[in-house]
């Protein structure tokens, strides 16, 4: 269940309509609803679902995506289901005889984001499990979407096809940084904190005779500092490593080694 | 079944290992195998599958991805399953207390492609269905992958998580054009063929008095040509439209209208 009372949450819901043409299994409709809500999509439209509607199997398979199931709309024809939309995309794994524009899911998602932002209503059609969309349905689509996959084994189940389109839709609007270091309660160490640790480590190593010669010392120091820098230490980790060095020095002193 | 005798087909198989740590349901393992083969991934590793191995339910749910199921390797510990890998990614939906590097699936896929191309062995870990990976397993991963999804409803089933990682892996190496016009047996019309049609249409319209004034004609011609150009006509369609114009002219002549 999604209450949508959080404004951030609310704003990511909506998006393109997902039109399932003559879906067969309730389980698949439910799994589609779950995949839709994973991706913030809530407008589910069913054209002649084989086993009628509502369908308890769909509700069970939706795993809590009740928001989508409860608001699903039922249509007698594909024409009715897409009537209010300005642009319709259709998924198909096969290249047809028809002359049609094909795009990848990523391009389709970008185009749909642009249209959606401009206030247009858009939708994506998916065909029945076994047969896919028939050519008469495809004439309602201005653009076909085909998912690049292993050509020797490209058949996706219905919910997985919905998930991939929904995933690209969500990514196209998502502002998550591509990569980041999660530092929990701490923060990245400052350069001064890191250098302070490096100097302490190097001083401790100087006392042990680790640097075999004054000549080799600079390159060995660079090797160590570069390795530690790749670690992207947090302030907490710098303190931990100070402790590690202290413990090692202390331990070796206790054992009577390297007393200097 | 995929025989892999086609060299093109062969070359897209392989890729990162998929490591399922203590998977519970055979159906889920099978659905993961199917999603893997969809994306050209064939190296499935199972750490202590709850219901033993082989598992008939996994084979059934694999929907023909026997290549993956038959070659699955079983391990007693996560450490054993990742021992030969240079880099391990782990999927997790939650931000943990641990300090770790996080990336999106897209960034992970790009990095894995680079490592794989350099001859490194890489893998992606997925945790048990209910609990996800425990922190001790996560220490084997240098990078965590988190899928940007609706934060209010982000739980994916195991096979869908595998599909999204595999999908990004495949896209990162795929050379399908982002968009193209499928023209079947015909080809895009040349500019000369299109202009020839435009001129014929405009001449036919000239005879009907469609262009209300010589002054407005150029802008009306531009409007028509621009609209037709958005169609990206094929050679076959140009011929069809020639026929359409001829039929309309002929029809109106037969009815005795606009005889000029």
């Amino acid at each position: 269940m999604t209450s949508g009372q959080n404004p951030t949450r609310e704003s990511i819901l909506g998006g393109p309509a997902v039109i399932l043409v003559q879906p067969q299994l309730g389980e698949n409709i439910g799994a589609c609803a779950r995949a839709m809500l994973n991706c913030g999509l809530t407008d589910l439209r069913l054209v002649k679902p084989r086993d009628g509607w509502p369908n308890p199997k769909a509700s069970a398979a939706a795993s809590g995506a009740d928001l989508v199931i409860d608001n699903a709309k039922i249509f007698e024809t594909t024409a009715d289901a897409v009537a209010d939309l300005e642009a319709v995309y259709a998924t198909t794994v096969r290249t047809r005889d028809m002359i049609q524009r094909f795009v990848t899911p990523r391009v389709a998602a970008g185009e749909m984001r642009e249209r959606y932002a401009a206030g247009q209503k858009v939708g994506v059609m998916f065909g029945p499990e076994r047969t896919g969309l028939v050519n008469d349905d495809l004439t309602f689509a201005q653009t076909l979407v085909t998912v690049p996959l292993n050509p020797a084994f490209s058949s996706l189940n219905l919910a997985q096809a919905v998930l991939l389109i929904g995933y690209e839709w969500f990514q196209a609007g998502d502002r998550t940084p591509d990569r980041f270091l999660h530092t929990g309660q701490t923060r990245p160490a400052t350069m001064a904190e890191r250098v302070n640790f490096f100097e302490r480590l190097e001083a401790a190593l100087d006392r042990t005779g680790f640097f075999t010669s004054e000549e080799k010392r600079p390159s060995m120091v660079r090797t160590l500092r570069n390795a530690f820098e790749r670690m992207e230490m947090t302030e907490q980790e710098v303190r931990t490593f100070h402790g590690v060095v202290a413990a090692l020095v202390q331990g070796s002193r206790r054992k009577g080694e390297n007393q200097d």
Side-chain angles (χ1 to χ4, degrees), chain A:
Chain A
M1 284 294 292
T2 305
S3 73
Q5 299 198 335
N6 176 328
T8 313
R9 182 180 298 180
E10 191 68 77
S11 63
I12 65 165
L13 296 181
V18 169
I19 304 129
L20 305 184
V21 179
Q22 297 181 34
Q24 301 175 327
L25 297 171
E27 290 86 338
N28 285 343
I29 300 172
C32 287
R34 178 181 178 180
M36 285 175 62
L37 194 54
N38 282 150
C39 304
L41 303 177
T42 54
D43 184 356
L44 175 60
R45 304 177 179 199
L46 306 174
V47 179
K48 279 195 173 178
R50 188 191 64 186
D51 299 334
W53 196 259
N55 181 334
K57 287 181 180 170
S59 302
S63 298
D66 307 1
L67 175 68
V68 177
I69 292 289
D70 295 347
N71 291 307
K73 299 178 214 60
I74 309 299
F75 296 89
E76 269 303 298
T77 67
T78 303
D80 290 343
V82 300
D84 63 323
L85 306 178
E86 273 99 350
V88 179
Y89 293 75
T91 55
T92 170
V93 290
R94 284 184 296 145
T95 297
R96 310 271 177 157
D97 285 343
M98 294 167 66
I99 298 161
Q100 294 239 227
R101 181 172 177 263
F102 275 87
V103 299
T104 60
R106 196 160 297 168
V107 169
E111 291 180 0
M112 289 193 293
R113 281 276 172 193
E114 283 174 27
R115 287 179 176 276
Y116 193 75
Q120 295 183 22
K121 295 187 83 171
V122 296
V124 192
M125 278 198 294
F126 298 83
E129 286 90 332
R130 294 197 184 284
T131 57
L133 289 164
V134 298
N135 283 355
D136 279 347
D137 289 328
L138 291 179
T139 59
F140 292 110
Q142 295 76 56
T143 306
L144 300 191
V145 186
T146 187
V147 184
L149 287 174
N150 178 0
F153 194 82
S154 61
S155 158
L156 290 170
N157 80 25
L158 189 55
Q160 285 181 314
V162 169
L163 177 69
L164 289 183
I165 302 295
Y167 167 79
E168 287 287 7
W169 163 263
F170 196 90
Q171 305 316 302
D174 185 56
R175 296 286 164 268
T176 307
D178 278 352
R179 56 195 100 203
F180 65 95
L181 186 73
H182 172 66
T183 54
Q185 300 300 308
T186 179
R187 56 166 176 78
T190 64
M191 196 71 237
E193 287 163 345
R194 277 133 59 200
V195 168
N196 179 43
F197 165 69
F198 297 151
E199 289 174 348
R200 183 203 184 148
L201 173 65
E202 291 149 14
L205 290 173
D206 274 331
R207 289 191 290 275
T208 66
F210 172 85
F211 298 115
T212 44
S213 76
E214 212 32 57
E215 220 167 56
K216 286 184 184 160
R217 190 181 188 280
S219 87
M220 292 173 85
V221 162
R222 276 197 300 274
T223 300
L224 282 172
R225 288 194 181 198
N226 285 344
F228 270 106
E229 282 295 90
R230 282 204 306 279
M231 201 188 272
E232 299 185 63
M233 282 190 289
T234 63
E235 186 274 333
Q236 190 186 70
E237 287 166 338
V238 167
R239 282 189 281 116
T240 301
F241 277 104
H242 273 292
V244 166
V245 171
L248 292 173
V249 168
Q250 199 61 38
S252 61
R253 282 202 182 138
R254 269 206 294 270
K255 286 186 201 147
E257 293 163 5
N258 295 320
Q259 292 181 332
D260 57 339

